[in-house]
């Protein structure tokens, strides 16, 4: 942040004008104040305990920097690292941070002399002899030559430019928080897409296994029907169940293909089969750990990037109230013009432009005060204040939504685990039922309807169990996302890939902005 006294000290003027400068400096020291309110962090109502506290969830402090590693899946780790390097939405967010840095540079530059212009002109002039009060002794045709430097500097008496820097600085940090929020979402989306793919793969394996079992059952019914041991009804029922499973396989193939396409986009690549990235199609659904640490509700206020972003957006808007309010007061400026002027009249010509007697200057203080603004300035202050109040409310709402997301994910995770346990028991029993019914059918003890019902129920329960196991993993992923984990991945790393930086440097002079670290304090 630039200090007013440092800016004044850096502005050079000639010794002959020192008295004016001293008076101007005195004005800045004695009259300087900062218009508008100082930002105060809004209060947010957060409970002390989670509603969903149970034995499987620990409220002890936890590290969520690389939460996906709790699944102990190297493929998932590699996918998230690839997405961090290549995801296009994340790269857009990174470029927006550079844009915000440049906007901060503009705000800082406003505290320096706002006008600094080198100029010059060569003009040919012809006077009308029929113009009023024309002097016949005057030369009606002559040239005019000028060169000079103009400067104007509005002193930040009311802190307008200081507030502008505060607003731009908070906007920059809000943009970084937005980057972090996108990164949190990205890691969660990649993990969820990976779990979805593994879930489809396991469901396909089970469906094909059941297809093989049902094909054998169908073959048995055909043989028994041809031998007159049963009716055609058994054959048609077996055939219907077999083709229903085939249809399920086709549906699962579509879901698997679409899930891979979605993951490809997250990785920043065109849709493909991802065989190399996934390491085959026989991977298992990631398993959640036995116990999960979630911390305390108040911790999400500092961890979740969207909460930080909402707070910083409020801080940025608060400073804009001061910018608007400063317009109610008079502005004080120091202006100066130094140059050389000559003409082609009389004994002068272009060569005289560099002579000492061609020097011309104008310097002095000025002030302006828009006293008749018909309420426009006051209403602009009210506009900025209303927007600030909106940002405070938005911050509180963001906190409430964050807590709700965590609670929703917690209850989903815990209940999905319970469902998985019950469905596993059901699948075990269904497997045994299929075995018994097939034996009884081959022995002629029971009809095929019992076999059909037991096989159909087994398919449903196996598919449901596999789906709910995927839901357990996805619910845990959603909980880590809601807790704000994953944005720390960018710490110590650059915002943009080297090739994008090189492209921008070759196109535009970015100075040192592209060299800044991702950590903004």
């Amino acid at each position: 942040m630039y200090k007013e006294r440092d800016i004044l000290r850096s502005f050079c003027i000639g010794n002959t004008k020192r008295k004016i400068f001293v008076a101007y400096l005195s004005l800045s020291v004695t009259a300087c104040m900062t218009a508008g309110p100082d930002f105060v962090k809004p209060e947010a109502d957060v409970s002390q305990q989670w509603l969903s506290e149970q034995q499987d969830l620990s409220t002890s402090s936890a590290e969520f920097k690389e939460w996906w590693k709790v699944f102990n899946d190297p493929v998932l780790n590699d996918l998230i690292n690839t997405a961090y390097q290549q995801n296009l939405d994340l790269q857009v967010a990174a470029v927006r941070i550079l844009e915000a840095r440049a906007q901060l540079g503009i705000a800082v530059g406003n505290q320096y002399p706002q006008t600094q212009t080198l100029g010059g002109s060569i003009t040919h002039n012809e006077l009308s002899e029929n113009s009023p009060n024309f002097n016949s002794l005057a030369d009606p045709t002559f040239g005019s030559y000028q060169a000079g430097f103009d400067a104007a500097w509005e002193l930040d008496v009311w802190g307008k430019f200081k507030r502008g820097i505060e607003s731009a600085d908070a906007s920059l940090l809000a943009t970084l928080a937005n980057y972090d929020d996108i990164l949190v979402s990205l890691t969660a989306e990649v993990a969820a897409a990976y779990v979805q793919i593994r879930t489809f793969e396991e469901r396909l394996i089970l469906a094909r296994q059941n297809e093989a079992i049902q094909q054998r059952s169908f073959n048995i019914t055909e043989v028994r029907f041809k031998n007159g041991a049963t009716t055609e009804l058994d054959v048609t029922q077996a055939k219907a169940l077999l083709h229903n499973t085939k249809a399920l396989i086709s549906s699962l193939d579509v879901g698997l293909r679409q899930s891979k396409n979605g993951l490809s986009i997250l990785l920043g690549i065109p849709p493909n089969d991802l065989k190399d990235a996934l390491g085959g199609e026989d991977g298992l659904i990631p398993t959640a750990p036995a116990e999960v640490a979630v911390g305390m509700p108040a911790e999400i206020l500092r961890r979740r990037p969207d909460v930080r972003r909402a707070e910083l957006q409020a801080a940025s808007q608060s400073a804009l109230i001061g910018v608007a309010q400063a317009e109610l007061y008079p502005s004080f400026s120091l202006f100066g013009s130094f140059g050389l002027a000559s003409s082609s009249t009389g004994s002068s010509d272009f060569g005289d432009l560099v002579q000492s007697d061609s020097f011309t200057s104008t310097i002095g203080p000025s002030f302006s005060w828009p006293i008749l603004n018909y309420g426009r300035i006051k209403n602009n202050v009210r506009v900025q204040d209303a927007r600030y109040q909106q940002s405070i409310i938005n911050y509180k709402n963001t906190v409430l939504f964050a807590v709700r997301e965590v609670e929703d994910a917690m209850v989903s995770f815990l209940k999905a685990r319970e469902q998985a346990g019950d469905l596993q028991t059901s699948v075990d029993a269904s497997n045994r039922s299929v075995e018994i019914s097939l034996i009884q059918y081959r022995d002629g003890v029971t009809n095929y309807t019992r076999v059909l019902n037991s096989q159909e129920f087994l398919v449903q329960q196996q598919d449901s169990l596999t789906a709910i196991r995927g839901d357990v993993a996805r619910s845990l992923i959603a909980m880590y996302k809601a807790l704000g984990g994953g944005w720390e991945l960018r710490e110590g790393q650059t915002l943009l890939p080297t090739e994008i930086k090189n492209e921008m440097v070759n196109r535009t002079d970015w100075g040192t902005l592209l060299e800044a670290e991702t950590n903004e304090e």
Side-chain angles (χ1 to χ4, degrees):
M1 195 73 69
Y2 289 84
K3 303 294 185 181
E4 185 72 34
R5 59 179 181 274
D6 296 329
I7 299 170
L8 288 168
R9 190 182 300 116
S10 66
F11 185 66
C12 299
I13 66 173
N15 291 334
T16 58
K17 312 303 179 183
R18 192 169 301 280
K19 289 183 179 180
I20 296 176
F21 173 70
V22 171
Y24 196 52
L25 179 61
S26 299
L27 177 63
S28 70
V29 172
T30 59
C32 186
M33 61 170 286
T34 304
D38 292 328
F39 175 69
V40 178
K41 181 178 178 178
E43 294 293 331
D45 185 15
V46 180
S47 61
Q48 298 300 313
Q49 300 291 333
W50 301 109
L51 294 176
S52 302
E53 284 189 55
Q54 293 194 19
Q55 187 175 0
D56 292 341
L57 299 178
S58 170
T59 55
S60 60
S61 295
E63 177 61 61
F64 301 103
K65 182 176 181 179
E66 295 179 316
W67 55 261
W68 48 90
K69 291 187 176 180
V70 302
F71 292 109
N72 294 317
D73 192 322
V75 175
L76 175 58
N77 299 342
D78 291 340
L79 289 173
I80 288 179
N81 287 330
T82 301
Y84 174 72
Q85 297 294 332
Q86 299 178 177
N87 182 263
L88 300 182
D89 287 336
L90 196 63
Q91 291 176 9
V92 170
V95 176
R96 285 176 181 155
I97 294 176
L98 298 179
E99 177 187 349
R101 283 179 179 155
Q103 292 287 355
L104 176 58
I106 294 173
V108 170
N110 284 334
Q111 288 200 333
Y112 288 96
Q114 292 83 18
T115 301
Q116 303 171 77
T117 307
L118 284 173
S121 65
I122 298 177
T123 60
H124 175 75
N125 304 279
E126 292 188 12
L127 302 179
S128 170
E129 296 183 10
N130 295 321
S131 62
N133 301 318
F134 177 77
N135 189 343
S136 60
L137 300 178
D139 188 351
T141 304
F142 62 92
S144 178
Y145 319 110
Q146 293 180 340
F149 171 74
D150 297 327
W153 180 20
E154 180 183 344
L155 180 64
D156 197 18
V157 175
W158 314 113
K160 176 174 66 174
F161 301 131
K162 176 184 176 183
R163 290 299 192 194
I165 293 175
E166 288 180 12
S167 178
D169 188 54
S171 293
L172 169 58
L173 295 177
T175 307
L176 180 61
N178 182 68
Y179 176 92
D180 290 343
D181 189 42
I182 292 175
L183 183 52
V184 167
S185 296
L186 175 63
T187 56
E189 288 173 11
V190 170
Y194 176 70
V195 169
Q196 184 79 350
I197 289 171
R198 292 308 191 200
T199 302
F200 275 123
E201 289 174 348
E202 284 203 31
R203 290 175 68 188
L204 275 166
I205 291 172
L206 290 171
R208 287 172 180 141
Q209 289 174 351
N210 283 309
E211 179 189 17
I213 294 173
Q214 292 163 11
Q215 183 67 55
R216 290 195 298 270
S217 298
F218 174 68
N219 294 339
I220 292 173
T221 58
E222 277 197 317
V223 170
R224 288 174 61 83
F225 172 66
K226 290 178 181 179
N227 293 331
T230 186
T231 67
E232 187 181 359
L233 178 62
D234 290 355
V235 177
T236 57
Q237 287 179 327
K239 185 176 183 180
L241 178 60
L242 173 61
H243 285 274
N244 185 64
T245 301
K246 288 178 179 289
L248 174 63
I249 291 173
S250 297
S251 176
L252 294 175
D253 279 330
V254 172
L256 178 60
R257 176 72 271 160
Q258 292 177 343
S259 296
K260 288 183 177 180
N261 291 343
L263 180 57
S264 297
I265 300 304
L266 293 174
L267 298 178
I269 60 176
N272 61 57
D273 56 15
L274 299 176
K275 287 183 179 179
D276 294 334
L278 294 173
E281 296 186 353
D282 55 354
L284 299 176
I285 298 172
T287 303
E291 184 174 312
V292 178
V294 296
M296 301 298 292
E299 292 179 10
I300 66 173
L301 297 182
R302 60 175 176 81
R303 188 187 301 119
R304 277 188 59 133
D306 60 336
V307 174
R308 297 201 309 272
R309 178 182 61 204
E311 177 187 341
L312 289 164
Q313 287 172 339
S316 176
Q317 184 58 42
S318 174
L320 292 180
I321 298 175
V323 174
Q325 190 171 325
E327 298 293 337
L328 289 169
Y329 312 122
S331 61
F332 301 90
S333 302
L334 179 66
F335 65 90
S337 176
F338 308 88
L340 300 169
S342 181
S343 67
S344 61
T345 59
S347 59
S348 300
D349 56 24
F350 180 77
D352 293 328
L353 183 65
V354 296
Q355 300 298 321
S356 59
D357 56 358
S358 296
F359 178 79
T360 178
S361 67
T362 303
I363 187 170
S366 68
F367 83 95
S368 64
W369 194 354
I371 55 175
L372 298 178
N373 58 77
Y374 304 101
R376 289 190 296 267
I377 296 177
K378 279 190 175 182
N379 279 308
N380 186 41
V381 174
R382 293 163 183 156
V383 167
Q384 303 306 323
D385 185 69
R387 290 175 179 174
Y388 174 55
Q389 191 61 45
Q390 293 173 47
S391 65
I392 292 175
I393 297 171
N394 179 66
Y395 169 80
K396 295 179 179 180
N397 190 53
T398 302
V399 172
L400 290 178
F401 186 77
V403 175
R404 176 206 166 179
E405 275 194 330
V406 178
E407 293 284 4
D408 287 351
M410 280 183 180
V411 70
S412 295
F413 172 68
L414 295 171
K415 294 305 178 182
R417 268 192 167 179
E418 291 181 12
Q419 285 181 277
D422 292 335
L423 284 171
Q424 183 63 61
T425 302
S426 177
V427 167
D428 293 340
S430 297
N431 269 314
R432 182 59 181 155
S433 296
V434 170
E435 293 175 4
I436 295 173
S437 62
L438 280 173
I439 294 173
Q440 292 179 343
Y441 179 70
R442 283 196 298 265
D443 294 341
V445 177
T446 187
N447 59 30
Y448 188 72
T449 301
R450 179 168 294 183
V451 177
L452 178 69
N453 292 339
S454 61
Q455 287 185 343
E456 186 175 17
F457 190 69
L458 175 62
V459 171
Q460 294 174 355
Q461 296 308 95
Q462 285 181 328
D463 191 62
S464 297
L465 174 59
T466 306
I468 203 64
R469 285 175 52 228
D471 289 344
V472 171
R474 283 193 296 273
S475 296
L476 182 57
I477 292 168
M479 187 164 64
Y480 281 126
K481 176 188 176 185
L483 290 168
W487 61 266
E488 299 92 341
L489 181 63
R490 56 91 174 159
E491 290 182 334
Q493 302 192 51
T494 56
L495 291 170
L496 285 170
T498 302
E499 57 271 19
I500 294 181
K501 285 186 176 183
N502 292 337
E503 180 181 350
M504 297 178 71
V505 168
N506 291 335
R507 186 173 59 242
T508 304
D509 179 14
W510 277 89
T512 61
L513 290 185
L514 293 179
E515 301 172 7
E517 293 294 332
T518 59
N519 297 322
E520 301 283 350
E521 299 296 339

